Amino acid sequence: MKTIYLDNNATTRVAPEVAEAMAPFFGELYGNASSMHSFGGQVRKHVEAAREKVAALLGADPSEIVFTSCGTESDNAALRGTVEALAGRKHHVVTTRVEHPAVLSVARYLGNHGCRVTEVPVNAEGLLDLQFLEDAVTDDTAIVSCMWANNETGVVFPIDEIAQICQLKGVTFHTDAVQAVGKIPVNLAKTPIDLLSLSGHKLHAPKGVGVLYIRKGTRLAPFMLGGHQEGGKRAGTENVPYIVGLGVAAELAAGHMRDEVTRVRDLRDRLEQGLLAHCPDARVNGRRDPRLPNTTNVSFEFVEGEAILLMLDEFGICASSGSACTSGSLEPSHVLRAMGVPFTAAHGSIRFSLSRYNTQADIDLVIERMPAIIRRLRELSPFVPQGA
Ligand SMILES: Cc1ncc(COP(=O)(O)O)c(C=O)c1O
């Protein structure tokens, strides 16, 4: 059975061009990029070429790109490194209620270790209360951290405006752009962002490599101590094959951007319209625009998302649900709860996230299978209102 992979916000397949570019670094090009000899030096050149490619995708200077192990590490480094750099002088962190745990749990950790934390709310469409954010920033604020695009709903936040607010108030601004980079244009030459996180495995590079962009002049304490790699900002022998892979993935992403915002978006819209037309009591969670072109989050009332996933799995269809199985009870995600999505809808939410490897046939199969799955589950559901 063919796998129909519609879970690209969880991870993506490694592009064949990326795998091919990585291969020599598992073989003959095994030198340490920090060695003094020319064998290591030739490897160093490939690391620096990858840095340039990532910088080009972001509109940044190569010296501002620091390779890390993943998006989570980049987020941790941004928040903890900023608070540590301002130790004892600023004690306030501003973030949002809908961040990924890689940011939210770090903010809450800092909240238990001497910081005050403000979590900016969102409305029913998943949009941020910008006035709330602006009013929250004070002279005591060390950092504002707000994701570029939400991983569950795909809602894109007004990053330009938030960056301007922070710049005017002289506060460090970090954005978790893990879901945005490669899907929508990002230009750091135009937007005054101080720190930005990205993750390789969300843009067709392998798992285990990420980037923290650090704008020149940004105060940040190093997160990993040890050797002097990455300009002393992130110790640890460079993960050369993965860094090279990320460089190629960044180059490919730039080339595919038009496809992403046209063909992939059209496929996503076809899927969304097909599901809404053929499944009664379905709704889209989150504002439809601006939104990541590859993401839709659809709730099917009165059924459990996990049950839908299991039935989709029987047809080889991979997606995600908006609830997490914790301690035996299915809790709706913190994002849907922050938006106030009603209980009966939040439980039946499914996130479909596409990539350039999806075809119209993939989408049409989901549209064909879904109505029967929902009908069957509703027959068994205790939540369906009498007479419905
Ligand atoms: C918005 C966001 N931030 C951070 C992460 C974590 O990235 P990584 O898996 O590279 O640690 C994810 C992963 O899903 C994400 O969606």
Side-chain angles (χ1 to χ4, degrees):
M1 184 169 52
K2 185 188 168 214
T3 296
I4 296 180
Y5 190 75
L6 299 172
D7 202 12
N8 288 278
N9 288 8
T11 198
T12 58
R13 78 175 276 181
V14 174
E17 300 91 326
V18 168
E20 196 186 324
M22 290 170 66
F25 300 91
F26 293 111
E28 67 274 22
L29 289 175
Y30 59 85
N32 186 324
S34 297
S35 294
M36 292 301 290
H37 43 69
S38 54
F39 185 62
Q42 58 171 318
V43 170
R44 155 75 42 206
K45 283 191 195 135
H46 290 277
V47 170
E48 295 316 318
R51 202 184 303 281
E52 279 170 23
K53 288 172 185 165
V54 173
L57 178 67
L58 301 179
D61 189 87
S63 64
E64 298 171 315
I65 302 299
V66 172
F67 290 111
T68 64
S69 67
C70 60
T72 300
E73 182 191 325
S74 302
D75 287 342
N76 272 259
L79 272 78
R80 296 174 75 166
T82 301
V83 168
E84 196 186 325
L86 300 169
R89 286 187 292 122
K90 298 194 177 200
H91 310 86
H92 181 218
V93 173
V94 176
T95 188
T96 81
R97 282 203 193 144
V98 295
E99 295 298 310
H100 188 275
V103 166
L104 209 44
S105 49
V106 181
R108 289 175 185 170
Y109 170 87
L110 292 169
N112 290 327
H113 291 81
C115 284
R116 186 168 63 85
V117 179
T118 304
E119 294 178 14
V120 180
V122 294
N123 68 11
E125 292 188 298
L127 297 185
L128 277 183
D129 185 338
L130 268 197
Q131 193 58 51
F132 187 107
L133 185 146
E134 187 166 355
D135 294 346
V137 180
T138 68
D139 289 347
D140 192 37
T141 306
I143 186 167
V144 172
S145 179
C146 172
M147 66 201 328
W148 197 305
N150 187 269
N151 45 303
E152 293 190 30
T153 59
V155 169
V156 173
F157 291 126
I159 289 302
D160 275 313
E161 281 173 75
I162 300 170
Q164 303 287 351
I165 292 171
C166 293
Q167 193 182 39
L168 275 175
K169 299 207 174 196
V171 173
T172 297
F173 177 50
H174 165 250
T175 184
D176 175 341
V178 163
Q179 294 293 346
V181 172
K183 295 175 187 149
I184 53 175
V186 165
N187 187 351
L188 293 168
K190 285 207 184 133
T191 310
I193 290 164
D194 300 304
L195 300 164
L196 174 145
S197 306
L198 70 85
S199 172
H201 75 104
K202 310 289 185 178
L203 62 142
H204 304 288
K207 297 153 194 66
V209 62
V211 161
L212 179 62
Y213 157 87
I214 309 175
R215 186 178 291 275
K216 273 189 204 103
T218 306
R219 296 170 64 101
L220 193 78
F223 182 61
M224 296 275 263
L225 301 176
H228 51 264
Q229 294 90 351
E230 298 299 283
K233 297 195 179 90
R234 199 276 187 182
T237 301
E238 295 89 344
N239 184 357
V240 176
Y242 286 62
I243 290 172
V244 169
L246 179 54
V248 175
E251 202 169 42
L252 290 172
H256 280 282
M257 191 65 72
R258 248 196 98 67
D259 182 53
E260 194 78 33
V261 298
T262 53
R263 193 188 68 88
V264 174
R265 190 182 50 199
D266 288 348
L267 287 179
R268 187 275 313 271
D269 290 347
R270 182 182 180 90
L271 173 64
E272 198 167 88
Q273 283 152 18
L275 293 175
L276 295 181
H278 296 104
C279 303
D281 296 313
R283 52 174 268 175
V284 173
N285 294 311
R287 174 88 161 243
R288 298 208 193 173
D289 211 24
R291 191 167 46 145
L292 292 176
N294 78 321
T295 308
T296 178
N297 186 310
V298 184
S299 276
F300 302 90
E301 292 239 36
F302 318 122
V303 288
E304 292 286 1
E306 312 285 306
I308 301 173
L309 289 185
L310 288 176
M311 293 186 76
L312 285 172
D313 196 47
E314 286 177 19
F315 299 110
I317 300 166
C318 307
S320 276
S321 79
S323 51
C325 191
T326 46
S327 56
S329 70
L330 285 175
E331 268 290 304
S333 80
H334 70 287
V335 175
L336 299 183
R337 272 186 285 148
M339 290 162 61
V341 175
F343 172 89
T344 50
H347 274 270
S349 97
I350 299 289
R351 177 190 71 187
F352 298 97
S353 47
L354 286 64
S355 82
R356 57 180 178 256
Y357 295 110
N358 289 119
T359 63
Q360 190 171 314
D362 293 346
I363 299 309
D364 289 347
L365 189 91
V366 181
I367 297 172
E368 189 189 316
R369 299 292 185 200
M370 203 61 154
I373 290 176
I374 300 301
R375 213 177 308 119
R376 173 93 189 97
L377 290 173
R378 284 194 181 139
E379 279 163 17
L380 305 169
S381 170
F383 302 118
V384 179
Q386 297 283 314

